[in-house]
Amino acid sequence: MYDVVLLTLGSERDAPGACGSGGACCGGATGADTAPTGQTDAGQPSSGQAEAEKCATERPRVPVLACADALNARGARVETITARSDAEIDAVLARFDGPARPDGLTWPDPDSKTRLVVATASDGQLRAVLRRLVKRYAPAPSKRPADLPGNRTLPDLPPVAVLPLDPARGGTHRDLAAQLGLPRDPAAVAAAVLDGTPRRLDLLRNDGGSVTLDGALLGAADDAGRPLHWRARVEVDDTILTDGAEPLLACAVGNAGGYATLDDVTLLTAPDPADGQVEVAVAVPVVVRSAWGRKRVRLEVRRARGRAVSVLPREGKVPYLDDGVEGELTRKRSWWIEPGAWAVWSS
């Protein structure tokens, strides 16, 4: 029977100094382009709680206890862990290391009898764990082994099971578990862990040292909800969607469908987290004249699909959401696809 680690993170934060970036709380962000201090993973103010309050010890939530009970009832050996730092996440992930290799690389064990369940209150928390997996197993370019697929920079990461801690959200934005059709009931999650099969999915890495599971939406609105104009050069492989001379209202970088629509505008038409491509769209306001010479503004959406995308801001800071986590882009950011790099346990 399997050993199962049921991992929860100690805070919903994804801010500078958070878990995933080397700090004390969990949620995780890296690089200079991160969520501003004082914002939670869901984009809500932290109200200036003291650090001890933000990382206070919590009792496991009901879904965690119910999942552990269901696993125990099936004979699995279950350990429930709350991680509050990168080091504590890394200690859990080290259990998935394979045998020593001649080249000295740390590599996941494809035959591991340990299985991981990540209890998530947000996609940002799941991303924090995947970021640490990438950090652990991605070799430096100078140490790239011959057995690594040519279209990848890291090996197949160990599968994870996702235990959503909150009910499925309504509206247009659904969390990744809902988009993938993963079970939300703790007993069903336990069954997927013990009886299911790995479903391999694409991963977006970026040159800021982070990863994206769902997608990113760049742009912002004013206090009245009106979209603000900004400029950036956006390229997908060899296709230039905009050179930065014209104003933009939004840019969507999609691995899955969380940012497929913006209000009533369709940005991404067919994002697929397992097709080996990233879909990108920009929304450009265009002035047109009617037959009577009257001017009006229509929204032109330009799309492209490919292996990599780059966004180069032309002026100021560009706000964005990446897997639901707020940040500001101040320099060029590139994302590239890692086909089938991560996996979820699916029934």
Side-chain angles (χ1 to χ4, degrees):
M1 184 48 66
Y2 296 105
D3 292 323
V4 180
V5 180
L6 224 170
L7 176 66
T8 61
L9 302 189
S11 169
E12 294 183 33
R13 293 177 57 81
D14 195 326
C19 175
S21 67
C25 286
C26 292
T30 60
D33 298 313
T34 54
T37 302
Q39 297 291 323
T40 69
D41 199 20
Q44 300 298 320
S46 65
S47 303
Q49 301 109 316
E51 199 68 23
E53 293 177 336
K54 290 184 289 186
C55 294
T57 301
E58 306 104 350
R59 290 177 58 83
R61 291 177 59 173
V62 171
V64 176
L65 298 174
C67 188
D69 288 344
L71 290 164
N72 280 318
R74 291 283 305 276
R77 295 179 293 269
V78 182
E79 184 177 1
T80 301
I81 297 175
T82 299
R84 295 180 178 82
S85 68
D86 283 352
E88 291 178 352
I89 293 179
D90 293 345
V92 171
L93 302 183
R95 305 183 189 196
F96 297 90
D97 291 355
R101 290 169 53 105
D103 56 16
L105 293 175
T106 301
W107 220 245
D109 182 1
D111 300 318
S112 175
K113 298 303 180 183
T114 300
R115 296 196 168 178
L116 176 64
V117 180
V118 181
T120 63
S122 67
D123 289 343
Q125 289 191 332
L126 180 61
R127 185 180 74 165
V129 176
L130 265 294
R131 181 188 295 118
R132 299 311 301 173
L133 278 171
V134 170
K135 178 75 172 178
R136 184 167 195 85
Y137 294 123
S142 60
K143 296 183 178 180
R144 180 185 177 89
D147 57 343
L148 192 62
N151 62 349
R152 292 264 293 276
T153 66
L154 68 163
D156 285 354
L157 299 177
V160 300
V162 181
L163 174 62
L165 294 177
D166 297 316
R169 298 190 183 103
T172 58
H173 186 82
R174 300 181 300 160
D175 62 18
L176 193 59
Q179 293 181 58
L180 297 175
L182 299 178
R184 307 185 79 88
D185 177 73
V189 173
V193 171
L194 299 179
D195 304 324
T197 56
R199 176 182 171 188
R200 300 223 66 88
L201 301 166
D202 301 334
L203 180 71
L204 281 174
R205 294 188 67 186
N206 68 54
D207 57 3
S210 189
V211 299
T212 299
L213 308 180
D214 184 350
L217 180 65
L218 293 87
D222 61 19
D223 292 339
R226 294 182 296 264
L228 300 174
H229 291 185
W230 53 283
R231 288 176 169 79
R233 181 183 178 92
V234 181
E235 298 181 64
V236 182
D237 292 350
D238 296 327
T239 300
I240 300 175
L241 290 179
T242 175
D243 63 5
E246 57 197 338
L248 300 178
L249 294 184
C251 174
V253 178
N255 189 32
Y259 300 107
T261 61
L262 179 63
D263 294 331
D264 58 348
V265 177
T266 299
L267 297 176
L268 307 174
T269 57
D272 183 345
D275 66 354
Q277 291 190 312
V278 57
E279 184 176 0
V280 183
V282 294
V284 184
V286 177
V287 178
V288 296
R289 289 181 179 272
S290 69
W292 302 100
R294 294 174 181 170
K295 292 182 180 180
R296 65 181 180 87
V297 177
R298 66 176 177 86
L299 197 61
E300 178 181 298
V301 179
R302 303 171 191 164
R303 304 179 181 92
R305 300 172 64 83
R307 290 286 314 280
V309 55
S310 66
V311 178
L312 174 61
R314 289 301 193 192
E315 53 191 13
K317 300 176 181 179
V318 179
Y320 68 84
L321 288 173
D322 192 329
D323 284 344
V325 180
E326 293 183 354
E328 290 183 330
L329 201 63
T330 59
R331 54 184 173 80
K332 184 177 180 179
R333 170 59 46 83
S334 297
W335 291 262
W336 67 90
I337 204 81
E338 298 278 348
W342 75 294
V344 291
W345 288 109
S346 182
S347 54

